[in-house]
Amino acid sequence: MPLNRRKFLEKSAVTGAGVALASAVGAPAAQAAEAGKGKKPAKRYSLTVMGTTDLHGHVFNWDYFKDAEYSDAKGNAQGLSRISTLVNQVRAQKGRCNTLLLDAGDTIQGTPLTYYYAKVDPITAPGGPVHPMAAAMNAIGYDAVALGNHEFNYGIETLRKFEEQCDFPLLGANALDAKTLKPAFPPYFIKKFHVPGAPPVKVAVLGLTNPGIAIWDKAYVEGKLTFPGLEEQAAKWVPKLRSMGADVVVVSAHSGSSGTSSYGDQLPYVENSAALVAQQVPGIDAILVGHAHVEIPELKVTNTATGKTVVLSEPLAYAERLSLFDIELVFEKGKWAVESVAASVLNSNSVADDPKITKLLKDDHDVVVEYVNQVVGTATQTLTTVEARYKDAPIIDLITKVQEDVVKAALASTEYAALPVIAQASPFSRTSEIPAGDVTIRDLSSLYVYDNTLVAKLMTGAQVRAYLEYSAQYFVQTAADAVVDVEKLTNAENRPDYNYDYVSGLSYDIDIAQAGGSRIKNLTYNGAALDDAQQFVFAVNNYRANGGGAFPHVASAKELWSESTEIRTRIAEWVTAKGVLNPADFASVDWKLTRNGTPVF
């Protein structure tokens, strides 16, 4: 059954446990009490499981798009070099032999560093480099890592090469071979912890990844891999791990805790199901949560079958936090039993970089800094995304213009050459800026932060209208006489910015005084009301083409063309060819926000 969020939150407690490196628990007092009764003290053991997630290629506290140390308003710091310092501190306090280090996925995509070693100097080339994330995580001493959905962005060959370079397993119990339905990656990892005078403590780690991979990276995985739901695969594997003698079962899940999905009913599996796994599958002690990019120091979920508490924790993405699970065990009746689990997070901004990691990866980092600072053109004026969420911004028109031009050229000699080409693009970043003067690769990369590729789909006017209506639900309904606060105007129902689309080549108003589904007004093409039967070639990114964001019609529409070159690269090529980046060559006012017909701005 789907998670009832209200009831779930009523029954579950979210606590921000304080940062503490000292051993938990009061075991000596308990032992003394038993000794006072003439009983032999029970044998106890303390285990600490550390976890990161959604590292997205962040090795250093560096912003490649700004060419400067990373900083934000909250004072966060990023990077595995900081995590390494925290891990060293925990190991020194607890004893390395009493700790485990895990990650919950999304490792090899997300920064120019990871892009460079996937596409510019690829690890798959003969004699190619070691991936910087493999090098860093090997040096830090990770024990196991769950697969994230972004692991598949560069194709299976790149992922397999990364796997080969890692000294730890990449886990994915629900990443199955499409033909045999057997695991295509190791489902689990088991480690024994030795306890003087008692049997070893056997810890099993089950890795689960996101079913959405089947949509988001369809081009790479269709017919090769399949991704069933986390709940069903956990229910299959956890009893097996217990039967193999696991005293502790930890799940590393690239799946959020909200019980929601971004892909609607396109898949019969929940995207963010970590809490559902805890609730439904008996035998789990702790879950390291990933994918959602939210900080959850500690979330306690009651398993409905056993009544036992399962503890979840999600550290903030980009190596900004390290989760700690402090697990206390007691040896009773000839076996180890988990007595308690407590979770907390440590903040990367509290420590300095580990010089070991800095030294190890400085050369890789320097190469990428030089690469992203290459000048590819000159801008006649500054372009920014600051207002792009709620005003038609020329900087987003640049993306749609490039996509239109690439698709027109690709279809020039086909039967679709005469059809009009329209394009979509999203305001991915709120801080991207292309300054007047020299334009570098990093400027353009900050505009298009994802490694998406381009697809051409065949759509009708009616389908495009429905697409726009769905996109317009991004705006909060705002009465005609209400004060407009731009900070509260967007992201209705928590829809992220990357799921709001501009569509070029048309003209339309979005009336935010109206309810969702009836907001698109004055929709025209070539100065005339849009004909629902008109056919268009729709240039879209592969995430949207495969159903990402659950936009209507586009996933099922006929595909006319696609390519593997990133849209980001196409933008750089376009700017390089032009030499001068002048809004007169690409900017157009295609849409505006209104309230009962009156423009908002």
Side-chain angles (χ1 to χ4, degrees), residues 389 425-430 474 490-491 494-501 544:
R389 289 168 293 142
S426 304
F428 292 137
S429 167
R430 298 187 179 190
Y474 167 77
T490 62
N491 307 100
N494 296 314
R495 183 186 292 199
D497 296 344
Y498 60 76
N499 278 337
Y500 170 61
D501 283 1
R544 192 71 79 235

Side-chain angles (χ1 to χ4, degrees), residues 34 42-43 199 247 330-337:
E34 291 188 36
K43 199 72 177 177
D247 302 300
V330 60
F331 191 70
E332 292 179 330
K333 300 177 182 178
K335 64 178 183 179
W336 287 103

Side-chain angles (χ1 to χ4, degrees), residues 258-442:
S258 65
T260 61
S261 297
S262 67
Y263 40 70
D265 59 1
Q266 294 178 90
L267 291 175
Y269 312 115
V270 178
E271 177 183 354
N272 295 300
S273 64
L276 292 171
V277 171
Q279 194 178 62
Q280 297 176 12
V281 181
I284 298 170
D285 297 299
I287 301 180
L288 175 64
V289 179
H291 184 62
H293 290 217
V294 297
E295 182 177 346
I296 305 175
E298 185 181 65
L299 173 64
K300 295 181 178 180
V301 177
T302 301
N303 183 270
T304 54
T306 64
K308 291 185 178 179
T309 298
V310 184
V311 176
L312 287 67
S313 182
E314 181 176 2
L316 207 55
Y318 310 139
E320 292 184 6
R321 304 289 187 273
L322 176 71
S323 279
L324 299 184
F325 295 90
D326 287 306
I327 302 173
E328 300 298 325
L329 296 102
V330 60
F331 191 70
E332 292 179 330
K333 300 177 182 178
K335 64 178 183 179
W336 287 103
V338 172
E339 200 168 43
S340 67
V341 181
S344 58
V345 294
L346 302 181
N347 196 325
S348 295
N349 70 7
S350 65
V351 294
D353 291 333
D354 181 349
K356 174 184 173 183
I357 304 302
T358 303
K359 182 179 179 181
L360 178 67
L361 290 165
K362 182 180 185 302
D363 288 349
D364 290 349
H365 168 75
D366 289 347
V367 165
V368 175
V369 169
E370 183 179 357
Y371 165 74
V372 299
N373 279 289
Q374 291 180 77
V375 175
V376 294
T378 305
T380 60
Q381 65 184 70
T382 296
L383 302 168
T384 177
T385 59
V386 170
E387 297 181 326
R389 289 168 293 142
Y390 48 86
K391 290 183 181 179
D392 189 339
I395 196 169
I396 307 299
D397 295 334
L398 171 62
I399 302 172
T400 58
K401 173 61 174 172
V402 170
Q403 293 179 170
E404 287 176 11
D405 285 0
V406 171
V407 168
K408 284 175 183 176
L411 298 179
S413 60
T414 73
E415 61 185 294
Y416 305 103
L419 290 180
V421 177
I422 60 177
Q424 63 78 224
S426 304
F428 292 137
S429 167
R430 298 187 179 190
T431 58
S432 178
E433 179 178 290
I434 299 175
D438 287 347
V439 178
T440 64
I441 287 177
R442 68 178 172 85

